[in-house]
Amino acid sequence: MRRDNQSSVSEFLLLGLPIQPEQKGMYYALFLGMYLTTVLGNLLIILLIRLDSRLHTPMYFFLSHLALTDISFSSVTAPKMLMNMLTHTQSISYAGCIPQEYFFLIWRDLDNFLLTSMAYDRYMAICHPLHYTRIMSQNLCFLLVIVSWVLSSAIALLHTLLLARLSFLRGNTLHHFFCDLSALLKLSSSDTTINQLVILTVGVVVITLPLLCILVSYGHIGASVLRRPSIKGICKALSTCGSHLSVVSLYYGAIIELHFVPSSNSTNDKNVIVSVLYTSVTPMLNPFIYSLRNRDMKGVSLIKIRDQHDLINQSTFSFAVL
C-alpha cells in the first residue's frame, strides 16, 4: 500500500455528503443540475462579454476572469463527487488527491484576488470618476490579473509541497467530499506545525487582507455617496456595486463560517455543508446575480436574443419564399 517513503496510503476514502443512501439519486440529480448551471451560466457571461464591445471595460474584464475561475473552481470537486455518487465508490487515489488540492487552492485564492480587484475598480469608478479612465488602464487590469495568478499559484504550490511531505499512518478516511487541506492535516500522523503556521500566515494574505481591502473600498464608496446624498446617487451606487457586493457577501460569508467560527470535532457535517455552499452554490449563483442585477448584462442579453430571433425569422421567410 506504500506510495513512497512519505505516505503509507495509496488512496483515501471520501465519506462525501451527509445524506442517506436512499436519497443519493435525488441529490445526484440536484448537484448535476447545479454543476451544469454553473458551467453554462458562466460560459454565457464570458461569451456575452467577448462578443459585445460595450462590455469591454475593466469591470467586465474582471468579471470574465471571475466567471472562468468559478467554472474551474467548481470543476475541481463536483465531477469527482458526482462520479462517486453515481458509481457508489468513495475512493480517490493519493496521486489524484494532491493535484485536486493544488488546483482547488489556486482557484479559491484567485477568486479572492479577483473580487478584491473588482472592489478597487468600483472604488475608482465612484470615488474618482474623473481619473478612472487614466488609472484603470488596460495595462493595470492585466497586471492585477497576472499578479493574482502568480500569487495564487505560488501559495497553492507551497501548501501542496508541505502536504506531500506528510505521512498518513492513522488511516485514510476523510470526512469530506474532496481532499480538503484541513481534513488531510487532521488525518496525518506527521508533525503539522509548519503546515498550520503557513496556513495562518498565508491566510492573512489570501483571505484577511483581500477582505479588508474590499471593506475599505466599500467604506470609501459609502462615505462618498453619503457626502452628497441623493436618490439618484444612491441608486447609481447600488446599480454599480450591488452585484459585486452580493457575491462578496455570499462567498466570504461561507468562508468566515467555515474558518473563523469556532466549532467542535463533532461538526464535520457542518463543515461539509458550508464547503458545498462556497464551492458549488456560490459559483452557480454568480451568473444569476450579475445578469439579474446588472442593467448592462440584461441589455446585452436581450439584444442578442432579439438578434437571434430576427435571424430565425429571416431564415424562415427566405425558406418560405424558396
Side-chain angles (χ1 to χ4, degrees), residues 188-201:
S188 174
S189 56
S190 302
D191 182 10
T192 61
T193 303
I194 296 178
N195 300 73
Q196 298 289 354
L197 182 61
V198 170
I199 289 175
L200 291 175
T201 305

Side-chain angles (χ1 to χ4, degrees), residues 247-277:
V247 172
V248 168
S249 301
L250 282 172
Y251 184 77
Y252 278 101
I255 289 182
I256 290 172
E257 175 68 23
L258 186 63
H259 295 288
F260 295 98
V261 176
S263 60
S264 62
N265 294 328
S266 60
T267 57
N268 289 317
D269 288 352
K270 186 210 75 170
N271 293 340
V272 172
I273 294 171
V274 175
S275 296
V276 170
L277 178 63

Side-chain angles (χ1 to χ4, degrees), residues 273-289:
I273 294 171
V274 175
S275 296
V276 170
L277 178 63
Y278 88 95
T279 60
S280 298
V281 177
T282 302
M284 179 193 69
L285 293 179
N286 285 356
F288 294 100
I289 293 174

Side-chain angles (χ1 to χ4, degrees), residues 298-311:
K298 287 192 293 185
V300 171
S301 301
L302 291 173
I303 290 173
K304 295 300 179 184
I305 293 173
R306 186 188 62 191
D307 292 345
Q308 186 68 23
H309 183 264
D310 292 342
L311 181 61

Side-chain angles (χ1 to χ4, degrees), residues 29-39 74 276 280-284:
L30 174 64
F31 284 109
L32 178 61
M34 290 171 57
Y35 176 63
L36 293 177
T37 302
T38 299
V39 173
S74 184
V276 170
S280 298
V281 177
T282 302
M284 179 193 69

Side-chain angles (χ1 to χ4, degrees), residues 208-235:
T208 307
L209 188 58
L211 180 57
L212 287 176
C213 291
I214 292 173
L215 293 177
V216 170
S217 297
Y218 277 107
H220 281 288
I221 290 173
S224 178
V225 172
L226 293 177
R227 275 198 297 267
R228 295 181 297 272
S230 66
I231 300 299
K232 183 178 179 181
I234 294 175
C235 291

Side-chain angles (χ1 to χ4, degrees), residues 16-88:
L17 302 175
I19 56 178
Q20 299 298 323
E22 61 271 13
Q23 297 177 325
K24 283 190 175 181
M26 178 183 67
Y27 278 98
Y28 174 81
L30 174 64
F31 284 109
L32 178 61
M34 290 171 57
Y35 176 63
L36 293 177
T37 302
T38 299
V39 173
L40 295 177
N42 284 287
L43 280 177
L44 180 60
I45 285 182
I46 296 173
L47 183 63
L48 290 175
I49 293 174
R50 293 279 294 178
L51 291 179
D52 199 286
S53 59
R54 291 170 298 174
L55 300 182
H56 293 175
T57 62
M59 182 178 72
Y60 294 107
F61 173 77
F62 292 128
L63 178 57
S64 64
H65 283 273
L66 181 67
L68 177 62
T69 301
D70 283 339
I71 294 173
S72 305
F73 189 35
S74 184
S75 297
V76 171
T77 58
K80 180 60 179 176
M81 178 183 68
L82 292 169
M83 183 182 298
N84 287 352
M85 293 175 68
L86 184 64
T87 60
H88 302 287

